[in-house]
Amino acid sequence: KQEVTQIPAALSVPEGENLVLNCSFTDSAIYNLQWFRQDPGKGLTSLLLIQSSQREQTSGRLNASLDKSSGRSTLYIAASQPGDSATYLCAPRSMDSNYQLIWGAGTKLIIKP
Amino acid sequence: KAGVTQTPRYLIKTRGQQVTLSCSPISGHRSVSWYQQTPGQGLQFLFEYFSETQRNKGNFPGRFSGRQFSNSRSEMNVSTLELGDSALYLCASSPTSVQSGEQYFGPGTRLTVT
């Protein structure tokens, strides 16, 4: 059964720093992996989708990498801004779970001005 | 293109009642998935519909049901509400099948059961 762990659970950094959020999963048989952000009380916004055949994806200041064999993905945020404050969730789509997204608990990020 | 819309946004119900939530996917999207989010359990998958057929179902009791219409709009119904059903219910749509598509989420319906 696929299990997803996100470390750290919470992170508070000053504005302008580059930072890395980690996601690990136990079953490497994934179809793809998606990163989302969620603002308090709101829905999820898709940030990046990485297919299992890809190593990384970039969108603006965000870069996500995927190492399927070791069961790891990282989300790199460059030059962080207060508007980046949110909870970040990773969700691999596991083949064994009938292609459901399996969710981590998220990393709550606070960027201090 | 308009995003995924969910109605109502907020709902307060009493134990034992039933509730119906609605989701309109992005135009052209044929797959709709539903999730429940609570502080204790996080995000949990409810079910997924594609072209009016339920393709996948999570581990929820039969009180939770759904359907999809020919225009891809979807509804989720919860009967005999319990206090533990209080949650944010999220709907997501994908262009094609869930396996290949990126999922786009709506703002959610906040259900409070008293």
Side-chain angles (χ1 to χ4, degrees):
Chain A
K1 180 187 165 187
Q2 179 76 279
E3 292 181 2
V4 180
T5 303
Q6 290 189 245
I7 294 173
L11 185 61
S12 179
V13 299
E15 180 178 6
E17 284 199 7
N18 302 323
L19 45 97
V20 175
L21 307 182
N22 296 293
C23 170
S24 61
F25 46 93
T26 56
D27 182 359
S28 62
I30 64 169
Y31 196 83
N32 56 41
L33 183 145
Q34 210 166 339
W35 281 92
F36 298 87
R37 67 171 280 169
Q38 185 174 31
D39 295 282
K42 305 284 182 64
L44 279 69
T45 300
S46 177
L47 297 173
L48 290 163
L49 170 69
I50 312 178
Q51 301 294 344
S52 61
S53 58
Q54 297 175 315
R55 297 285 292 182
E56 65 179 74
Q57 279 281 5
T58 298
S59 176
R61 295 182 294 105
L62 305 178
N63 175 278
S65 67
L66 175 64
D67 183 344
K68 203 174 65 167
S69 61
S70 67
R72 290 183 183 177
S73 178
T74 61
L75 180 67
Y76 175 83
I77 303 176
S80 58
Q81 304 170 357
D84 295 330
S85 298
T87 295
Y88 289 79
L89 296 139
C90 78
R93 190 176 301 284
S94 180
M95 294 178 184
D96 285 350
S97 65
N98 204 13
Y99 299 97
Q100 291 180 36
L101 285 175
I102 306 298
W103 297 90
T107 293
K108 185 174 181 179
L109 177 63
I110 297 173
I111 308 297
K112 297 174 286 188
Chain B
K1 245 184 191 179
V4 178
T5 58
Q6 292 186 245
T7 56
R9 293 292 313 279
Y10 303 91
L11 207 48
I12 300 175
K13 289 286 188 178
T14 303
R15 272 180 299 176
Q17 289 186 315
Q18 75 162 18
V19 67
T20 299
L21 312 181
S22 180
C23 171
S24 293
I26 292 171
S27 177
H29 285 196
R30 296 168 61 189
S31 171
V32 173
S33 298
W34 287 89
Y35 297 86
Q36 181 195 66
Q37 187 177 32
T38 59
Q41 298 294 320
L43 271 156
Q44 296 185 87
F45 171 75
L46 280 156
F47 25 67
E48 180 232 336
Y49 288 88
F50 182 79
S51 294
E52 301 179 67
T53 301
Q54 187 180 90
R55 289 167 55 106
N56 210 346
K57 189 176 190 302
N59 295 323
F60 278 82
R63 300 185 296 108
F64 292 81
S65 63
R67 59 178 175 170
Q68 186 180 34
F69 302 96
S70 58
N71 62 359
S72 293
R73 190 177 71 84
S74 178
E75 286 183 347
M76 189 193 91
N77 186 75
V78 187
S79 63
T80 318
L81 284 165
E82 301 177 358
L83 294 178
D85 297 333
S86 295
L88 180 66
Y89 290 88
L90 294 163
C91 163
S93 73
S94 296
T96 54
S97 63
V98 168
Q99 290 93 316
S100 58
E102 185 171 356
Q103 289 208 313
Y104 299 86
F105 281 76
T109 294
R110 172 76 62 185
L111 172 65
T112 302
V113 182
T114 61

